[in-house]
Amino acid sequence: KITAVKAMEILDSRGNPTVRVFVALNDGTTVSASVPSGASTGENEAIELRDGDAGRYLGKGVLKAVANVNAVIAPRLIGMAAGDQATIDELMIDLDGTPNKSTLGANAILGVSMAVARAAATSLGLPLYRYLGGTACRRIPVPAMNIINGGAHADNSVDIQEFMAVPFGAPSFGEGLRSIAETFHTLKKILKSRGLATGVGDEGGYAPNLASNEEAIETIIEAIEQAGYRPGVDIGISLDSAASSFSPDLGTTYELSRSGGGRLSSSDMIALGERWVDKYPILTWEDPLAENDWEGFRRFTERLGHRIDVVGDDIFVTNTRYIERGIQEKTANSVLIKLNQIGTVTESIDAVRMCRDAGWRYFISHRSGETEDTFLADFAVAMDGGQIKTGSASRSERIAKYNRLLEIEQELGATALYYWK
Ligand code: PGA
Ligand code: ZN
């Protein structure tokens, strides 16, 4: 039984305020969970409630969300069983009363939702992944490590937001992680030798000023080879264009202004996609088109969906309403799952279920603003989907998730599974 729910304001990895929620049970269990925060957010994401008080944290304080947990949500949850996740999540959705959680804030609601799940797991003496996923869950996700950052995550000359190395051919998670960490360090040497910057962006990847977006991919391929791995066999490439961030109308116009690539149409973007997929060992491509360009997205998938995973992030925002439309219209073939885009654990699981039922893949993802909370690692194992996106081999808020996955792999021992498809 829940005896206390209490929130506080903490800082995320960008130094911006976010919400941490503590939940206590009558058996002495006390746990906490912390909420992440995005930068390249989709228009239809659940609302992250910020105070707007310019006198505190440049308006980004979350004291209103904290107060909503303490004064509005907490009194309703006292006495409920922490195991009643779906009931608790539904109660919070009703209390909020809006489709995008703008009354209480998705940051308030998600913090409680995550902390309740962790409290129930702890109380049962189960690891979080086992509580959420059951005994069948023993697949460790393949990591997509974001080793070059651009777009909204870095102040450089690269339009594409994320260039990821994916150890899809590795025999285990641990070996896969090692291969991409080695690639990351080799990449640093290459950048240094060319006089390029090796400071990191929000997700811990390098953020050099390269001559073009292609150069980012080509440099990563060089790093993979120099590190002793085979591009396209041991390690593949994943991209997140986050195309909404360079589409002024969030639709059919694309301005590759950082790299000097000019103004492109949806058709140009699709042609560019085909060229790159022909030329490079690309496994998955997220948000290749902007969130309102459903038709462009569909055509991209029609052309390339049989060769790569076309992943919708900003276009679906982990919301079954948009995923359902995507499935009907064949807009993509995969979904990025971010808990704070929708705002509860239960709705995130619903989104995963919808993907599974449609034969779509799903990628469990962090946000560019993260905390030391490792909930995501357990959630990814529990969802049994086989892919996680949680940043580079630097910045402890990213490494914390990798370290948690190493722990889970060790715990599962010989029963652990690791495979791409
Ligand atoms: P965000 O970036 O957390 O800034 O939205 C991550 C992504 O776009 O996948
Ligand atoms: Zn994205």
Side-chain angles (χ1 to χ4, degrees), residues 333-351:
N333 58 26
S334 312
V335 178
L336 202 75
I337 303 288
K338 289 168 166 169
L339 292 125
N340 80 323
Q341 278 183 330
I342 188 69
T344 62
V345 172
T346 303
E347 290 166 290
S348 304
I349 295 171
D350 287 343

Side-chain angles (χ1 to χ4, degrees), residues 173-192:
F173 173 78
E175 286 297 288
L177 182 63
R178 180 169 68 80
S179 71
I180 47 178
E182 289 168 4
T183 300
F184 176 70
H185 298 307
T186 307
L187 177 61
K188 180 171 187 170
K189 277 195 205 141
I190 295 174
L191 294 173
K192 240 183 170 164

